[in-house]
Amino acid sequence: MSSESPSRLTALQARGFRNLGSLRFGPGSHFNVIHGDNGAGKSNLLEAIHYLGALRSFRGAKTDDLISLDSESASIEAELSGGAAPHKLRVEIGKSQRRRLQLDGKRPRSTSAWYQTVPMVLFHPGDLVLASGSSDKRRAFLDRMLEQMDPVYGSTLASYEKALRSRNRLLKEEHVDRRSIGAYDVILSKAGAVVGRARQRLIEDLGPRVERAFTDVFADDTPLAVRYLPRVEPSEEAIAAALARSFEKDRARGFTTAGPHGDDLELRLHDVGARHHGSQGQHRTIVLALKTAELDLLADRTGRVPILLLDDVSSELDRTRNRRFFEMLSHAGGQVFLTTTHPEFILLENDRVDFHVDAGRVTRSPVRS
Ligand SMILES: Nc1ncnc2c1ncn2[C@@H]1O[C@H](COP(=O)(O)OP(=O)(O)O)[C@@H](O)[C@H]1O
Ligand SMILES: [Mg+2]
């Protein structure tokens, strides 16, 4: 990973975002340990950084919930180094206005262009559903990665999803218009093949990295197998045929059954599904292995080591695994932001800056001795 140049946040300012007040934050270039009591605003700070990359809350919050209770709008501004050129980013959200984006003072060409500006990988405790939850969570994980690497992917996926909603609406009507359905089948099979193949290729590259991280970093000697599990083979012909074949069934159910909206990223431990058979500890390490692999793959494919955001990760791992994980991250060389209630449990000595958060105020802690 050392040949890639890391993306780094060199300055962050926020106003009116959650409880952060008027924030000026100057992070260190490697490990940033953000500590404070429960409810202090640690996750809010991570959420502000993440919002800049993903343009949505990782906690699923609506825009209005992100804006401070005593404010009508919020803004986040950041300077970013690494990649071809340094960038200045600015996002403004409001209770009664559209989101405004600025990249180096100008409106970006598209939202999908924005996603490639700030490569980021996030882990938060809610991510456990990637191992224990339903397949939509894993599809979203894959889609978010693909969006960060490929501006065309996001728009293809959006047209697939739009056609799917329209087809489902038609299926529910009393008199079904087969010709209109047929028109959507064409869009669904074309866009669906692109989406499915992109996910398939991604998993071919990602899978071995996840399996390796699971064993090497997280020291689990149970063999983990990761593979693509499509509901329909990702080709135009196969999807078109499946749509035609399932028409009567779809009609009866009122929704479309076949297509990449049924894809899954299969995770098997000892050859049984990890979702129902893995322990909670194994789910945790599988998810961290997924994130480790995501970081590694994005760095390879984009030439930039993503910024890593870890919300409460140390409480998720035992001492040995924590140490190995941080060792691996030190080698990767990227910028890391991690939150914790117990900074003394973060087993890092070098390249570390600590920040204390109290009622939304972020201050740099004295250098630890
Ligand atoms: N829109 C908002 N305006 C003001 N305060 C908020 C808003 N949303 C959440 N908060 C406050 O933020 C705090 C939670 O911050 P959080 O970052 O989740 O804490 P932690 O440090 O435990 O991660 C709570 O005190 C909550 O009241
Ligand atoms: Mg928190």
Side-chain angles (χ1 to χ4, degrees), residues 125-134 137-138 275 287:
D127 278 331
L128 281 184
V129 294
L130 283 176
S132 62
S134 52
K137 311 289 189 305
R138 287 179 290 280
R275 183 175 169 197
V287 174

Side-chain angles (χ1 to χ4, degrees), residues 18-19 37-44 59 65-69:
R18 297 263 199 201
N19 74 342
D37 292 340
N38 285 323
K42 304 180 297 297
S43 299
N44 292 346
R59 295 189 274 193
D65 300 325
L66 299 176
I67 299 169
S68 145
L69 299 172

